[in-house]
Amino acid sequence: MMILKNHDKAFPVLIWAARIGIFLLMLMLAFTLDSAATSKHRTDLQKQWQARVDDLSLQLQGTILQNIQTVWGLAANVAVQPDINEQRFQDLAEVIFHLAPELLNIGLAPDFTIRYIYPQEGNRAAIGLDLRTQSLSEQQVRLLLDTERAVFSGPIDLVQGGQGLAARISIHESPTDRFWGVISVILDLDRLYAAVNLAQLARDGQFTLATSSSDGPEAGKFHGSDTSSKWQEPVFSTMKMSGISWTLYAQPRQGWPGHPANPWLFRSLLALMVLVIVGGTHWLTNLIQRDRTMQRRFQGLFDLAPFGIGLYGGNSGKLLRANPVFERTLGTGAASLDYFDRVYDDQGTQLPDGQGLSATLANRFRFSGLEGRFPGRSQALVPLLLHGLKLNIHDSEPVVWIIAEDITERKEVERMKSEFISTVSHELRTPLTSISGSLSLLSKNAVGELPAKASSLVTIALRNSQQLGFLINDLLDIEKLLAGKMAFRIETFPVAGAVLECLENIQNYASDREVAIHASRLSEVAVSADRQRLAQALNNLLSNAIKFSPAGAKVNVYTEIHGQRVHILVRDHGPGIDPEFRNRIFQKFSQADSSDRRAKGGTGLGLAITRELMIRMGGQVDYHSVPGHGATFWLELPVAAASPTDTAPTARAEDTSSATGSD
């Protein structure tokens, strides 16, 4: 009790702790989402600038190479005509200048010494210049001597102002491949910048072109916008050409933004989300507190019970409360009492209306031992054993307690037992048939007349083997029925003729037991059923009545009509049946007393087989009994139509009774 009181005191504290915890958690989540949105905006903007810088780098490098590619035509001409004169050179250079507007001048330098230059105006001072001593390094000279590629230098300051980019194209005579010299090309960098529109980048942000060997955008800068802000992780793209490597750096003018352009709309949504969730949490915790009173009443029972317990409203039929085992077994499907009206048998066939929970509660305020299969949590059928109690509460809605016991393990054990019995029965049937046949031949002196003592032993062995055969057949029949593998041939026939035929077949058994069978009041109505299976069910009732009747007693067989259904009744005058045995009488291997099996014989399968046969023919079997005054069993079937006239059914009934004794 002290522990429960401590829990009750701690419960409000836990509620408020949960509320505060949710509030703090939502605040953290809101700040995290806001930070993530800002980071994403910055990342997206950096990607945009990176793509722009990459595109400008490619354009700039492409424009340079396009201009140099134009000059390759002149190099190819000189390689074929190494003795080119100045006029020829001037004519070719003029054409090239029209095709490459970013060129400043072109110089032809046999053996690295400039001989001709175009245009000559302003460039005559370069004639006679040895490039090896003026602008080319030893590494570049070796590269030009050994390969036929362009080598770049720069940026270089131009005498006439501005900056340029120098490119030297190696010429090797054709076809001797002897080094002839180089073509020296100077490109105007200002024209190159204008060609790729670097000015637009300067208007949108800040950028720098620097040599790649330098450390950072400012160290090797040779061109760029005026820097008004510090560099903050600028995006960059590197251009690599033979002899040089340039890097273009860029970023927004004010650096990368700390938040999106319009952050308040997103932050307002975050604030609304926090308010909604915190408010919802407060509402839910209030519901939890109100529900606490009910939880305390049943918590121990619900949590500790090894079976499912559900509490339903008696009028609404809605589920009010359920313990964990109940929810785990049935899931959300059992939200109403109507759920238990859909009862299925072991083969998954839904049982007719009137066998569910509603019909049971309509007749009784309490019940126990209602067995069937119901859809479980995964909609698979779960075998349950139900017990229930309906309580009428003053000034309140009645409640219904349902206790649902999952008997899956018990069913599995029964299935394993049935499979074992079926397997054993099949394995016994073949040798037993051979043994019975051999004993039958011996009893009929098929191999010669036997001595009297041997003949008596053979007769006893034959009778016992036949009894064992009946046992095996019963075992196989019940297993076929439960597995749904027994075939039924439904036909319409008069019930009286079928009853009399069955009485004739069991006459010898009754005579051996000194029991009389009296048939009377056999109706001429017709039923639709399997005649052979109906005879099997009726024979089970007759054999039980004969078996439990004392010598000299009488068994009465008659019919009754109840609306559109006919009852075939078998009444004996034996010891009767104890009321405590009613719930088990139609189960497999059931005997009213263990001594019955020894004194009366039998397997305890007859009534179980009868019940399954009648259910599958649309009927049922039941009984009433008063201990010490016998029992009356009946088979119930729906009436099909009036039966055709049978041959003197009443006379045959009288003949049957006279043969066995009558009133």
Side-chain angles (χ1 to χ4, degrees):
M1 184 63 69
M2 184 62 67
I3 295 176
L4 291 176
K5 289 183 178 180
N6 291 337
H7 286 176
D8 292 339
K9 292 179 180 178
F11 189 74
V13 177
L14 294 176
I15 290 293
W16 277 105
R19 292 171 178 173
I20 296 173
I22 291 294
F23 177 73
L24 295 177
L25 181 63
M26 293 310 302
L27 284 181
M28 292 176 59
L29 179 61
F31 283 122
T32 301
L33 291 176
D34 182 69
S35 176
T38 300
S39 177
K40 183 178 184 303
H41 174 73
R42 179 170 180 172
T43 300
D44 291 341
L45 188 60
Q46 286 178 327
K47 289 181 179 179
Q48 294 174 9
W49 276 80
Q50 183 66 59
R52 187 175 182 182
V53 167
D54 290 342
D55 184 63
L56 283 173
S57 297
L58 288 174
Q59 291 183 41
L60 182 59
Q61 188 172 1
T63 303
I64 294 172
L65 295 178
Q66 183 178 0
N67 281 271
I68 301 304
Q69 189 68 29
T70 306
V71 182
W72 274 105
L74 176 60
N77 193 288
V78 175
V80 176
Q81 298 178 353
D83 55 350
I84 185 173
N85 58 37
E86 183 175 6
Q87 185 59 44
R88 175 65 175 165
F89 167 75
Q90 295 291 333
D91 293 339
L92 292 174
E94 183 178 4
V95 174
I96 292 172
F97 260 65
H98 283 90
L99 298 176
E102 286 76 28
L103 294 179
L104 276 178
N105 60 66
I106 302 175
L108 190 63
D111 197 23
F112 294 104
T113 301
I114 296 179
R115 179 184 299 175
Y116 309 128
I117 194 167
Y118 182 89
Q120 293 182 353
E121 184 177 351
N123 295 311
R124 291 183 180 275
I127 296 176
L129 179 66
D130 188 347
L131 298 177
R132 287 174 295 188
T133 61
Q134 297 296 323
S135 58
L136 291 175
S137 65
E138 292 182 3
Q139 182 180 2
Q140 290 175 323
V141 170
R142 286 196 301 270
L143 190 62
L144 290 170
L145 289 173
D146 297 337
T147 63
E148 297 182 8
R149 57 172 21 176
V151 176
F152 294 88
S153 301
I156 59 176
D157 294 327
L158 302 176
V159 176
Q160 58 270 40
Q163 289 184 320
L165 174 65
R168 276 78 180 194
I169 302 173
S170 176
I171 300 175
H172 292 259
E173 294 180 5
S174 178
T176 62
D177 201 34
R178 185 179 66 86
F179 178 77
W180 183 86
V182 298
I183 295 178
S184 176
V185 180
I186 303 298
L187 288 87
D188 189 340
L189 287 183
D190 290 333
R191 296 179 190 175
L192 289 173
Y193 301 152
V196 299
N197 198 18
L198 271 180
Q200 182 62 45
L201 185 62
R203 287 191 292 271
D204 296 339
Q206 62 186 50
F207 76 95
T208 290
L209 263 174
T211 56
S212 298
S213 59
S214 60
D215 185 14
E218 292 296 331
K221 175 181 176 181
F222 60 86
H223 180 69
S225 57
D226 294 333
T227 303
S228 58
S229 302
K230 293 183 179 180
W231 292 101
Q232 301 175 0
E233 300 179 358
V235 296
F236 61 90
S237 179
T238 300
M239 297 169 286
K240 292 184 178 181
M241 294 174 286
S242 179
I244 63 171
S245 179
W246 294 351
T247 299
L248 175 62
Y249 297 90
Q251 71 175 29
R253 187 167 300 280
Q254 300 302 324
W256 304 112
H259 53 74
N262 297 305
W264 292 112
L265 176 61
F266 180 74
R267 290 175 179 175
S268 298
L269 292 175
L270 288 178
L272 180 61
M273 178 191 71
V274 171
L275 289 176
V276 169
I277 294 179
V278 171
T281 302
H282 189 81
W283 176 70
L284 287 175
T285 51
N286 280 337
L287 290 181
I288 293 173
Q289 284 181 314
R290 287 197 298 267
D291 195 51
R292 176 68 174 175
T293 302
M294 181 178 290
Q295 288 183 357
R296 290 180 61 247
R297 295 175 183 173
F298 311 111
Q299 193 70 42
L301 173 63
F302 277 32
D303 290 345
L304 298 178
F307 40 77
I309 303 176
L311 180 64
Y312 290 84
N315 297 332
S316 65
K318 294 183 179 179
L319 179 64
L320 304 177
R321 190 72 175 170
N323 72 341
V325 176
F326 191 93
E327 294 177 346
R328 186 167 57 250
T329 303
L330 301 178
T332 59
S336 171
L337 279 174
D338 297 336
Y339 168 86
F340 296 99
D341 288 335
R342 293 178 297 150
V343 189
Y344 298 82
D345 60 15
D346 289 342
Q347 282 70 45
T349 303
Q350 186 169 353
L351 299 181
D353 293 339
Q355 300 191 32
L357 188 61
S358 298
T360 303
L361 288 174
N363 299 322
R364 292 177 284 174
F365 74 94
R366 64 182 301 169
F367 65 92
S368 178
L370 179 61
E371 183 176 333
R373 289 182 177 267
F374 301 85
R377 188 180 186 90
S378 61
Q379 295 304 311
L381 295 179
V382 178
L384 297 178
L385 187 63
L386 301 180
H387 312 274
L389 175 65
K390 184 176 182 180
L391 296 176
N392 293 316
I393 303 176
H394 182 65
D395 294 335
S396 181
E397 180 185 19
V399 294
V400 177
W401 284 97
I402 299 296
I403 298 177
E405 183 180 357
D406 188 347
I407 55 175
T408 301
E409 293 184 3
R410 194 184 82 182
K411 288 290 185 180
E412 181 62 18
V413 171
E414 290 179 358
R415 183 191 64 80
M416 294 172 62
K417 181 178 69 174
S418 298
E419 289 181 356
F420 173 78
I421 293 173
S422 179
T423 302
V424 172
S425 300
H426 278 286
E427 294 297 324
L428 289 176
R429 177 181 252 178
T430 300
L432 184 60
T433 301
S434 177
I435 293 171
S436 295
S438 300
L439 291 173
S440 179
L441 291 175
L442 289 174
S443 68
K444 295 176 181 178
N445 298 322
V447 294
E449 187 171 353
L450 297 175
K453 189 172 183 179
S455 178
S456 176
L457 292 174
V458 168
T459 301
I460 294 172
L462 177 60
R463 184 168 61 249
N464 287 332
S465 66
Q466 290 173 342
Q467 185 64 29
L468 185 57
F470 296 148
L471 168 61
I472 291 174
N473 288 335
D474 281 349
L475 289 172
L476 294 177
D477 281 345
I478 192 63
E479 295 308 318
K480 285 182 180 179
L481 283 167
L482 294 178
K485 297 180 179 179
M486 180 173 285
F488 288 82
R489 188 170 68 89
I490 304 301
E491 58 182 332
T492 302
F493 54 91
V495 68
V499 172
L500 291 174
E501 185 175 303
C502 187
L503 295 181
E504 290 176 356
N505 293 334
I506 204 169
Q507 180 59 49
N508 290 335
Y509 180 69
S511 298
D512 292 341
R513 293 277 183 162
E514 299 180 359
V515 174
I517 300 178
H518 181 258
S520 62
R521 293 184 294 167
L522 298 181
S523 174
E524 289 296 320
V525 298
V527 294
S528 293
D530 187 315
R531 188 164 187 153
Q532 178 184 353
R533 299 305 177 189
L534 178 60
Q536 183 180 357
L538 182 55
N539 184 73
N540 286 335
L541 297 187
L542 289 169
S543 62
N544 277 348
I546 294 170
K547 180 170 61 176
F548 288 94
S549 295
K554 178 177 59 178
V555 173
N556 299 96
V557 181
Y558 54 97
T559 61
E560 292 179 352
I561 302 297
H562 297 271
Q564 294 300 312
R565 303 183 78 83
V566 60
H567 286 194
I568 306 172
L569 297 98
V570 177
R571 180 185 179 190
D572 66 62
H573 299 275
I577 301 172
D578 193 318
E580 295 181 358
F581 188 60
R582 168 171 282 275
N583 291 336
R584 297 183 289 115
I585 192 168
F586 292 106
Q587 295 179 4
K588 294 186 298 181
F589 307 106
S590 293
Q591 295 280 12
D593 191 318
S594 60
S595 62
D596 289 339
R597 195 169 298 177
R598 295 189 295 270
K600 303 296 184 181
T603 63
L605 292 173
L607 291 179
I609 293 174
T610 299
R611 176 179 179 273
E612 296 297 328
L613 288 173
M614 296 307 296
I615 289 176
R616 279 152 182 77
M617 292 189 293
Q620 57 181 323
V621 59
D622 207 345
Y623 77 100
H624 63 78
S625 174
V626 177
H629 295 83
T632 301
F633 283 79
W634 65 82
L635 305 177
E636 179 183 300
L637 285 170
V639 175
S643 172
T645 303
D646 204 353
T647 304
T650 305
R652 293 177 62 184
E654 292 174 352
D655 291 342
T656 302
S657 62
S658 64
T660 59
S662 60
D663 292 339

